[in-house]
């Protein structure tokens, strides 16, 4: 759930920003990045590799993917500041798009591609 919980805050932020909310602060989000990183790194690592849903569960590809995505969301803000509790630059993940759960580079590339495609119209009979 780290991705779903961490990913909702950038979406809420952007929604409020587009609605003109003047009280938003790009340096202050509504969740604790460090706490989410601590939970993932200290509680969700399986001893033989991979990540788990929560302590006591087995590792699998699904939860490994979503834990890594949650870790990425917690590291990257809308500003240029990266929050990394380990202090090791090799632990910084690529930014993950909070809606599509793919890298930002891939999300922008897909958006560019599909924006050039013709609009499909549905004709009702």
């Amino acid at each position: 759930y780290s991705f779903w919980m961490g990913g909702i805050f950038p979406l809420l932020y952007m929604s409020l920003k587009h609605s003109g909310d003047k009280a938003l602060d790009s340096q202050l989000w509504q969740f604790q990045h460090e706490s989410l990183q601590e939970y993932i790194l200290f509680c969700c690592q399986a001893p033989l590799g991979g990540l788990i849903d929560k302590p006591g569960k087995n590792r699998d590809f699904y939860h490994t993917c979503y834990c890594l995505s949650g870790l990425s969301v917690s590291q990257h803000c809308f500003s240029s500041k990266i929050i990394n509790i380990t202090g090791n630059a090799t632990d910084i993940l690529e930014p993950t798009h909070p809606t599509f759960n793919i890298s930002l580079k891939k999300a922008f590339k897909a958006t560019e591609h599909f924006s050039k495609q013709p609009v499909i119209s549905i004709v009702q009979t």
Side-chain angles (χ1 to χ4, degrees), residues 37 83-92:
Q37 290 182 39
I83 299 171
N84 176 16
I85 65 166
T86 69
N88 188 342
T90 61
D91 293 337
I92 299 171

Side-chain angles (χ1 to χ4, degrees), residues 1-11 29 31-45 51-55 61-75 93 96-98 101:
Y1 300 97
S2 61
F3 172 69
W4 302 117
M5 297 309 296
I8 192 68
F9 292 101
L11 298 175
W29 282 24
F31 79 104
Q32 295 177 340
H33 303 268
E34 295 89 352
S35 295
L36 182 55
Q37 290 182 39
E38 287 173 0
Y39 179 78
I40 294 168
L41 295 174
F42 298 127
C43 299
C44 295
Q45 290 195 64
L51 296 161
I52 59 177
D53 178 25
K54 55 188 161 236
F61 294 119
Y62 177 85
H63 289 99
T64 296
C65 171
Y66 283 107
C67 281
L68 288 171
S69 298
L71 186 59
S72 172
V73 168
S74 71
Q75 289 179 341
L93 301 175
T96 298
H97 194 286
N101 193 23

Side-chain angles (χ1 to χ4, degrees), residues 80-114:
S80 60
K81 181 180 179 184
I82 295 174
I83 299 171
N84 176 16
I85 65 166
T86 69
N88 188 342
T90 61
D91 293 337
I92 299 171
L93 301 175
E94 286 291 319
T96 298
H97 194 286
T99 301
F100 304 120
N101 193 23
I102 58 175
S103 73
L104 287 180
K105 293 176 190 174
K106 298 290 184 185
F108 293 141
K109 193 172 183 178
T111 301
E112 181 182 6
H113 169 77
F114 287 109

